[in-house]
Amino acid sequence: MLNAIRIHHLAYWLYRHHIPIIPKLLQLFIFLIYNSSIGYRTVIGKGTFFNHAGMGVLINPNAVIGKNCKIGNNVSIVGQGPYKNCPRIGDNVYIGPGAVIQGPVIIEDNVIIAPNSVVNNSVRRGMIVGGIPARIIGDTANLGYDIFADEAWKEGHKEFIG
């Protein structure tokens, strides 16, 4: 299936092999089809994928994303003036839909970022963060499940609150 991440990997490969113009055209194609802006210079590790084909994702061209990450729709990974550095995201990071990662931050490995969170500080390995601005709300070591497991869809509904 053709999705934004596969097109990006092709654009990045062409860019790394000094083939001009085509990476920019592929970046434009991603923008037009998926309403996403993913710079062809952005480093994205193997196994990383976008939920819902990457709809609405915005990633700074200088950002670095590790391996085996899950990135939700409408996620923004952007820089912040006056800083030159952009976000660096480690391996096995889950970024929930609508999250914003802003500035010269480092997100270490095995981190979960809750949906609609605003991360403007670095996050240590194995933490779960959420809120605006994001704060530590848990530790991945205490999860009763593997967020990266490829499980079949479960039947039923969740319990009521309270």
Side-chain angles (χ1 to χ4, degrees), residues 28-41:
L28 177 62
F29 179 78
I30 291 171
F31 178 74
L32 293 173
I33 300 301
Y34 299 102
N35 194 32
S36 297
S37 180
I38 304 166
Y40 60 86
R41 296 180 321 206

Side-chain angles (χ1 to χ4, degrees), residues 112 117-121 127-138:
I112 296 175
S117 298
V118 176
V119 180
N120 55 11
N121 286 303
M127 294 290 105
I128 301 172
V129 298
I132 303 173
R135 301 276 186 248
I136 295 172
I137 59 174

Side-chain angles (χ1 to χ4, degrees), residues 72-135:
N73 57 313
N74 296 316
V75 166
S76 296
I77 301 172
V78 296
Q80 178 184 16
Y83 300 101
K84 180 179 178 181
N85 292 338
C86 290
R88 280 192 351 216
I89 298 170
D91 299 335
N92 303 314
V93 174
Y94 173 84
I95 304 171
V100 175
I101 300 173
Q102 178 182 19
V105 299
I106 296 172
I107 309 300
E108 292 186 342
D109 298 344
N110 304 315
V111 167
I112 296 175
I113 298 172
N116 297 316
S117 298
V118 176
V119 180
N120 55 11
N121 286 303
S122 295
V123 180
R124 293 196 189 285
R125 169 187 205 91
M127 294 290 105
I128 301 172
V129 298
I132 303 173
R135 301 276 186 248

